[in-house]
Amino acid sequence: MERKSDVLLQADHMRKEFGITKAVKDIDLTIYRGEVRTLIGENGSGKSTLSNMFAGVYMPTEGTMTLRGEPYKPENIIDARMKGIGLVVQEVGTIDGLTVAENMFMGREKRFCSCGLVNRRKMMEAADKALADNGIDHFHGADLIDKLTFEDRKLVEVIMVMEADPDIMIFDESTTALSRKGRDLIYKIMEMQKKKGKSIIFISHDLDEVTMVSDRVTVMRDGDYIATLEKEEITPERMRNLMIGRELTDNYYRTDYECTCGDVVLQVKDLTKEGMFEDVSFDIHEGEIVGIGGLTECGMHELCKAVFGIYSVDKGEIYHVGAGRKIKSTLDALESKMGYLSKNREVEAMMPSASIRDNIMLTCYDKAKKGMILSPRKEKEITRQQKDKLSIKCRDMEQWGRELSGGNKQKVVIAKWLANDSEILIMDCPTRGIDIGVKAAIYELMNELKKQKKAIIMVSEELPELIGMSDVIYIMKDGKITGSFQRNEMVTEHDVIKHMI
Amino acid sequence: MNREIKKINGDKVKEYLPAAGLVVVILLFTALTGGRMIAPTNLLLIMKQSAMQIIACVGVTFVLAHGNLDFSFGANIAISCAAGAIVGANVSYLLFLPVCILTGILLEVFMCFIHLSCKVPAIVVSWALMFFDQGIMTTLVGKFPMKLPEELVFMDHTWFYIIMAVAVCLIGWYLLDYTRLGKYNKAIGSNIVNARFSGIPVNKFKYLAYVVSGVSVGICAIICMARGRTASTLTASGAAIDVLIAVVLGGMSLGGGTKTRISAGIIGTLMLEFLTNGLTMVGADNNLIGMVKGLIFLTAVIITFDRKAVQVVI
């Protein structure tokens, strides 16, 4: 049992609400000195939100925190870092246009100041020393940070946070995009901090990694605290069961293995766009789910945009068989009853500061036409139909899009296209960042659409989803299609991955 | 639950604040002026003086809806006056009205064309156009007499202005809230990427917004000439800023989007007119009036600015 004096951070009754969404419901957490505490949970479980509250990114809706025995209430991320909690984010945490040294000592330039002027040389030297101390020699303090890879930038960010000598370092899915070498460096840093009596809050989806580095694992689900596992109890199966909370039945994805696909509705021929994809050809049939997979940079996301007419192509064409026309613009796509759900939902697929009604009606004002006026009553009718069909959880239809949870936002985006009777849906990572309950609902919806003879192109970065839902899978690598699989029980993740890397 | 109720009410309060502000101003100065301000002749005067700016606001609202600003509005009015006057004097007075409107449309659409094809921010193009207009105006004023054709002097009548303003407001309201022109422009202002990815022909509808703006430029030019009988380099100078202040006062967000309303321009303009009128009536001098306007504008922005939509204060 840990002694009271070993408590570094005490958080009680932490709560965070974003409008109607309860991200963190009522959580108590105790972090002890010298431990690596991992937070795990599905997307939407609240682990990022909780650590963001520790790091000063969000103000808690309710709750108190005590750091080193003193009340702790950070105003913002810099204040938190000064007070002893530093956050390394998942996305890019460094600033373009500055050098490595300038990023590393952001906010702490005073160290190198004399008479109000910053001594650049001293700053560069300090940066070079910090890099050398961590075994990094392939870039230097004077280098422009834009030129570094994502991984190297992440390492600079880690060093930047360490410079403030925080008592608790939070790594929010920072290892997700790193290579073996990068991850090893992070693990070494974590060990070093532990030896100094500091603590780490670690967030990761890689359960093997979690098993290896953690002293304790705290499991969260849907904003609630589920359990904390001690070192001996940490195993991937135990963690998975606690995360999900129920038996993941086989009916999560599709259970059938037939291909009831009809005629060709869309033909993609020799599609080429320099720097993105090359000679991509495939057909899409009625009632078919075409899965496209690959690593993030393989060109599949850009391919989606091109098929929907957003990007123009250098060579090749997209031919809509039913309408007998080539798709060259989004207007063509819309008129051919195609729909596109961007991977970057919040920024590209909806209007956060507009009502649910405005969002859904955007593609189908035709239907609300009453003479020369767009009838608000018809709009409400159409929106209500979609809301019921998709079970969108909201206060009412005038509620703003940004107040909905991730899963419901996605439902609104889908509703937008269903309201226009779309026949072909291009879905880019349709269940990204959505919790398990809504995920299942979306898979059910996709099955429904399939039965209604609609066609779906689904780009996914999750292999189980790709294999579980598609009638045919195309794998892309470096812009080209490198493999394809018809749906059958024998396809494994191993077979598929071979074509991706 | 309580927190939610408080928040809903907070948003609703913000929505009705401009209208409430207008009512407060009217009541306050009615009391201070012993009722003189709401005497029928004075009310008609206020309506007449508000007419042109209200029409300007309606036009600019469409461009604001999709998130662009237009600083050339006043200068465009001046050029339209000049064009109408020149054609009216040298060809036929019947052409005065159509030429004013056509010139307005041409200038605004030209601005949109440069914005879209050269990919320059619209606000920058509008500044350039403003300077360009001023140059042209100075040249023209020297060479041609700028007079309202005699035959059209009958237009200078209070009811003409008021009816024009009401008609423009009604048509503007219809277009903004009940047609695709309005809905799409608001959607573009709310999230242009989403609009593109939802199949909306963004460029086409931006042009249409500028056409509406151009028509209102033309109508303002007609009213300007009708009231002043002549045009000069000072004509409608400052109109662009006056319009911006009025719409912000009336509750408009400068980023556009789905909350854009015709009422913003109307409420803001009336508030300023009643304020000016009332202050003058109680004997305040011009400087005081300016300071009061400035303070009220600042307060309005502080209260109504949508902080949640902007995460960083620039």
Side-chain angles (χ1 to χ4, degrees):
Chain A
M1 254 298 107
E2 305 285 348
R3 297 190 302 272
K4 250 258 173 87
S5 60
D6 289 331
V7 171
L8 191 48
L9 174 69
Q10 177 69 41
D12 293 309
H13 299 296
M14 299 300 287
R15 220 162 82 179
K16 182 65 187 166
E17 289 169 19
F18 298 102
I20 205 177
T21 313
K22 295 187 172 59
V24 172
K25 289 186 190 157
D26 186 352
I27 297 200
D28 298 340
L29 196 69
T30 310
I31 306 287
Y32 299 98
R33 283 190 194 279
E35 75 162 326
V36 172
R37 174 75 65 100
T38 302
L39 299 181
I40 57 168
E42 284 285 334
N43 282 313
S45 57
K47 54 191 193 301
S48 271
T49 310
L50 186 63
S51 21
N52 279 340
M53 287 195 277
F54 295 157
V57 175
Y58 294 145
M59 295 299 121
T61 309
E62 246 180 64
T64 53
M65 296 183 277
T66 313
L67 185 64
R68 296 181 298 262
E70 306 276 320
Y72 171 69
K73 215 174 174 196
E75 309 269 304
N76 53 54
I77 200 173
I78 303 281
D79 187 34
R81 204 185 289 167
M82 297 296 178
K83 293 197 171 129
I85 299 190
L87 172 68
V88 177
V89 301
Q90 181 181 10
E91 313 294 332
V92 176
T94 44
I95 300 181
D96 284 344
L98 300 178
T99 59
V100 167
E102 284 165 344
N103 265 290
M104 205 182 277
F105 298 110
M106 178 82 52
R108 266 187 313 280
E109 292 89 355
K110 256 218 201 110
R111 232 172 91 181
F112 310 101
C113 252
S114 51
C115 310
L117 295 174
V118 174
N119 187 332
R120 286 219 125 92
R121 197 173 43 85
K122 279 210 184 131
M123 199 158 79
M124 298 291 165
E125 281 170 9
D128 287 335
K129 177 165 183 304
L131 290 172
D133 285 344
N134 283 296
I136 298 172
D137 57 0
H138 56 283
F139 60 88
H140 304 281
D143 294 338
L144 208 55
I145 205 147
D146 307 42
K147 303 245 159 72
L148 269 53
T149 62
F150 179 81
E151 166 159 329
D152 288 334
R153 289 178 71 148
K154 187 55 58 182
L155 295 176
V156 171
E157 191 187 334
V158 171
I159 297 176
M160 169 176 78
V161 174
M162 270 175 40
E163 280 295 312
D165 199 23
D167 286 321
I168 299 181
M169 268 181 88
I170 305 178
F171 288 93
D172 188 348
E173 296 197 46
S174 320
T175 54
T176 313
L178 299 184
S179 68
R180 181 86 263 144
K181 181 164 168 235
R183 289 193 189 207
D184 285 338
L185 184 58
I186 303 270
Y187 303 152
K188 220 168 59 182
I189 289 175
M190 296 201 317
E191 271 304 310
M192 233 167 56
Q193 294 293 94
K194 263 175 69 174
K195 287 211 181 79
K196 290 199 266 183
K198 318 261 188 195
S199 306
I200 309 275
I201 295 180
F202 191 66
I203 298 178
S204 169
H205 279 297
D206 185 341
L207 297 183
D208 292 318
E209 175 183 64
V210 171
T211 310
M212 189 177 75
V213 300
S214 320
D215 293 308
R216 283 191 190 82
V217 171
T218 297
V219 186
M220 290 174 63
R221 194 199 315 146
D222 286 330
D224 291 314
Y225 169 90
I226 299 297
T228 297
L229 302 173
E230 298 288 328
K231 186 95 191 160
E232 323 75 62
E233 303 168 304
I234 301 175
T235 64
E237 300 95 86
R238 191 85 193 273
M239 289 192 279
R240 210 172 285 134
N241 281 334
L242 286 170
M243 274 167 71
I244 294 170
R246 56 184 158 92
E247 282 305 302
L248 206 55
T249 65
D250 293 324
N251 294 334
Y252 191 47
Y253 299 117
R254 286 165 54 190
T255 46
D256 67 283
Y257 283 100
E258 317 139 16
C259 236
T260 50
C261 310
D263 306 319
V264 178
V265 287
L266 198 69
Q267 290 177 312
V268 175
K269 300 180 195 167
D270 304 319
L271 220 56
T272 305
K273 188 162 176 75
E274 192 178 323
M276 293 187 186
F277 46 83
E278 202 182 315
D279 292 326
V280 172
S281 303
F282 60 94
D283 291 340
I284 301 136
H285 305 82
E286 278 187 340
E288 181 178 41
I289 297 182
V290 173
I292 304 183
L295 301 176
T296 313
E297 305 284 307
C298 69
M300 55 189 185
H301 304 297
E302 293 75 8
L303 181 66
C304 280
K305 292 195 162 92
V307 173
F308 189 66
I310 291 170
Y311 289 157
S312 61
V313 294
D314 302 327
K315 210 181 74 168
E317 64 176 32
I318 304 134
Y319 186 70
H320 190 275
V321 174
R325 56 150 33 120
K326 295 194 201 163
I327 306 289
K328 294 218 188 95
S329 69
T330 52
L331 202 55
D332 290 338
L334 201 74
E335 285 173 4
S336 312
K337 297 293 181 185
M338 289 168 66
Y340 169 62
L341 286 79
S342 164
K343 168 182 173 189
N344 207 344
R345 195 177 313 133
E346 319 265 324
V347 173
E348 296 179 357
M350 59 175 287
M351 301 184 282
S353 307
S355 67
I356 296 174
R357 174 162 63 105
D358 288 332
N359 267 289
I360 294 182
M361 288 306 301
L362 196 60
T363 54
C364 59
Y365 278 120
D366 269 346
K367 292 193 167 180
K369 231 155 88 162
K370 203 162 97 168
M372 292 200 23
I373 297 184
L374 295 180
S375 153
R377 182 146 27 110
K378 275 201 184 166
E379 286 184 29
K380 293 198 174 114
E381 214 180 279
I382 296 173
T383 314
R384 193 172 304 123
Q385 251 176 35
Q386 291 302 322
K387 173 177 176 268
D388 294 335
K389 242 202 315 199
L390 296 175
S391 315
I392 300 176
K393 263 211 298 245
C394 59
R395 196 178 60 225
D396 60 45
M397 277 162 314
E398 304 308 312
Q399 184 174 15
W400 277 14
R402 69 177 173 220
E403 293 177 4
L404 301 177
S405 70
N408 283 302
K409 280 188 180 119
Q410 183 68 312
K411 285 186 180 178
V412 167
V413 177
I414 296 177
K416 175 172 75 172
W417 293 112
L418 291 185
N420 190 37
D421 304 317
S422 299
E423 296 285 321
I424 303 174
L425 282 179
I426 304 172
M427 305 174 113
D428 196 343
C429 300
T431 62
R432 183 181 77 101
I434 295 182
D435 73 69
I436 250 180
V438 183
K439 256 190 185 187
I442 294 188
Y443 294 142
E444 223 184 277
L445 180 69
M446 285 169 75
N447 260 321
E448 260 304 307
L449 293 171
K450 193 180 132 67
K451 290 201 188 105
Q452 291 169 23
K453 300 243 173 208
K454 316 265 193 220
I456 297 178
I457 299 176
M458 178 182 79
V459 164
S460 176
E461 292 174 348
E462 288 176 39
L463 279 182
E465 179 178 73
L466 212 54
I467 297 176
M469 293 301 291
S470 319
D471 288 304
V472 60
I473 301 175
Y474 294 105
I475 300 297
M476 286 180 69
K477 181 184 160 201
D478 293 329
K480 301 205 180 84
I481 293 188
T482 50
S484 71
F485 300 87
Q486 289 293 326
R487 184 177 183 74
N488 74 69
E489 295 147 325
M490 311 299 283
V491 176
T492 65
E493 293 189 22
H494 182 73
D495 300 327
V496 173
I497 289 187
K498 257 194 330 206
H499 294 265
M500 288 190 189
I501 48 177
Chain B
M1 197 49 193
N2 279 331
R3 220 170 287 121
E4 257 183 57
I5 296 179
K6 251 208 292 189
K7 209 180 37 133
I8 299 173
N9 285 341
D11 284 338
K12 270 282 178 316
V13 166
K14 265 202 208 168
E15 242 182 81
Y16 292 121
L17 208 58
L22 179 61
V23 169
V24 163
V25 165
I26 295 179
L27 289 177
L28 178 67
F29 282 98
T30 305
L32 287 177
T33 59
R36 279 181 294 149
M37 195 174 77
I38 54 172
T41 36
N42 194 46
L43 282 181
L44 275 180
L45 178 67
I46 292 179
M47 299 296 156
K48 175 170 122 169
Q49 287 179 312
S50 311
M52 181 172 127
Q53 190 166 303
I54 287 182
I55 293 174
C57 286
V58 170
V60 172
T61 296
F62 283 82
V63 170
L64 280 174
H66 71 241
N68 277 334
L69 292 172
D70 178 6
F71 281 95
S72 66
F73 200 82
N76 292 343
I77 293 178
I79 300 285
S80 304
C81 288
I86 296 174
V87 171
N90 297 322
V91 183
S92 155
Y93 76 91
L94 290 167
L95 288 178
F96 174 76
L97 295 172
V99 166
C100 277
I101 299 200
L102 246 105
T103 313
I105 296 178
L106 251 133
L107 288 165
E108 293 280 320
V109 166
F110 171 66
M111 181 163 50
C112 187
F113 172 70
I114 301 287
H115 160 55
L116 290 174
S117 54
C118 304
K119 308 218 205 287
V120 180
I123 187 178
V124 175
V125 183
S126 80
W127 285 330
L129 188 61
M130 181 177 83
F131 287 124
F132 187 65
D133 284 351
Q134 283 168 357
I136 294 194
M137 200 60 187
T138 319
T139 322
L140 289 177
V141 159
K143 292 216 167 104
F144 298 95
M146 304 277 182
K147 268 176 39 146
L148 177 75
E150 283 301 316
E151 300 86 337
L152 298 177
V153 168
F154 72 89
M155 287 192 312
D156 183 14
H157 195 280
T158 307
W159 282 108
F160 172 67
Y161 304 129
I162 296 181
I163 293 177
M164 284 297 286
V166 171
V168 167
C169 285
L170 289 174
I171 297 178
W173 179 34
Y174 157 69
L175 287 175
L176 190 68
D177 287 354
Y178 297 98
T179 65
R180 253 185 279 213
L181 201 170
K183 300 267 191 190
Y184 282 177
N185 271 292
K186 287 191 277 191
I188 293 169
S190 181
N191 185 342
I192 190 172
V193 176
N194 174 55
R196 269 214 182 91
F197 290 3
S198 302
I200 293 179
V202 167
N203 288 2
K204 170 173 160 194
F205 280 90
K206 274 190 171 182
Y207 271 118
L208 287 175
Y210 277 95
V211 167
V212 172
S213 182
V215 168
S216 103
V217 164
I219 300 179
C220 286
I222 295 170
I223 295 184
C224 225
M225 286 295 273
R227 291 191 60 192
R229 307 299 166 85
T230 165
S232 73
T233 48
L234 290 176
T235 304
S237 70
I241 305 275
D242 288 339
V243 163
L244 273 175
I245 293 180
V247 296
V248 169
L249 213 58
M252 175 98 78
S253 149
L254 286 182
T258 47
K259 280 205 334 180
T260 308
R261 279 186 299 264
I262 295 287
S263 62
I266 303 173
I267 293 178
T269 305
L270 287 177
M271 203 190 305
L272 286 171
E273 276 304 320
F274 272 107
L275 197 66
T276 314
N277 186 288
L279 282 170
T280 315
M281 259 193 193
V282 299
D285 75 21
N286 279 335
N287 299 327
L288 184 64
I289 294 181
M291 277 174 13
V292 172
K293 271 189 184 178
L295 254 156
I296 293 193
F297 177 61
L298 192 61
T299 317
V301 172
I302 291 174
I303 295 179
T304 61
F305 189 69
D306 185 6
R307 283 171 192 77
K308 277 183 265 175
V310 179
Q311 293 184 320
V312 180
V313 176
I314 300 172

